[in-house]
Amino acid sequence: HENGQFVYYVKETTSDGDGLTTDKSIYRMTYTATDQKNGTINVTGPEIAKWNSGNFEAATEAVFENQYTARGSFKVSGIKKVEGNNLSAFTFGLFADPECKTELTRASNETSGADAGKFTISHTVTIDELAVEDQDGNITGYSKSKDFTYYLKEIAEDGDGYDVSDAVYEVKVTMKDQGDGTLVPSNQ
């Protein structure tokens, strides 16, 4: 201590990992001790300051904000069959809406070999999509799992003698937060 002052430094010691990024803030807490000359010591404080760009700046409280990030993906597979002609590459899309206006991702089918006609679409979901909001739209927390509904549709145009299917398939998937930075599908 110096001149009746006690100075302490506070920082979070938890390591980053498993989807967690810890706050790297450093706070200085200064307490002042004054001898009351009656057998007691009066301690005031703390005066709080946060390290910022090479200097300590006054703060009203020490706040540590950690960030949890989780993500995971699921796959949707299908087969394109062609009658009366050779198989060409066709494009398929995964959509957020049943009208198939908000495309999320796309893939094309294989055109030859043992996997001819097969396609797989992969889509990534982040923790932000598991957010729980209050009536004003403020995030109040995150669900441990959430059900999602997507729509699969062929998005190629008719042409070259091919008629493109107008079928729309509903895809339901539940994504679960494993608590380690990963989201996994519990059903597909």
Side-chain angles (χ1 to χ4, degrees), residues 57-142:
E57 296 177 358
T60 56
E61 60 184 340
V63 177
F64 295 90
E65 294 183 17
N66 295 340
Q67 180 69 38
Y68 178 69
T69 305
R71 62 184 310 125
S73 62
F74 66 91
K75 294 179 181 180
V76 178
S77 299
I79 298 175
K80 172 66 177 181
K81 293 184 179 181
V82 173
E83 295 178 13
N85 202 345
N86 292 328
L87 182 65
S88 293
F90 293 88
T91 304
F92 304 86
L94 189 67
F95 296 86
D97 57 294
E99 296 79 25
C100 298
K101 297 198 182 295
T102 306
E103 183 180 335
L104 302 171
T105 189
R106 63 172 54 190
S108 296
N109 62 282
E110 297 292 329
T111 58
S112 62
D115 290 334
K118 294 180 181 179
F119 65 91
T120 300
I121 295 178
S122 181
H123 180 64
T124 299
V125 177
T126 66
I127 191 70
D128 295 335
E129 295 172 71
L130 274 66
V132 176
E133 297 180 349
D134 64 16
Q135 63 189 16
D136 297 324
N138 300 312
I139 295 174
T140 59
Y142 295 90

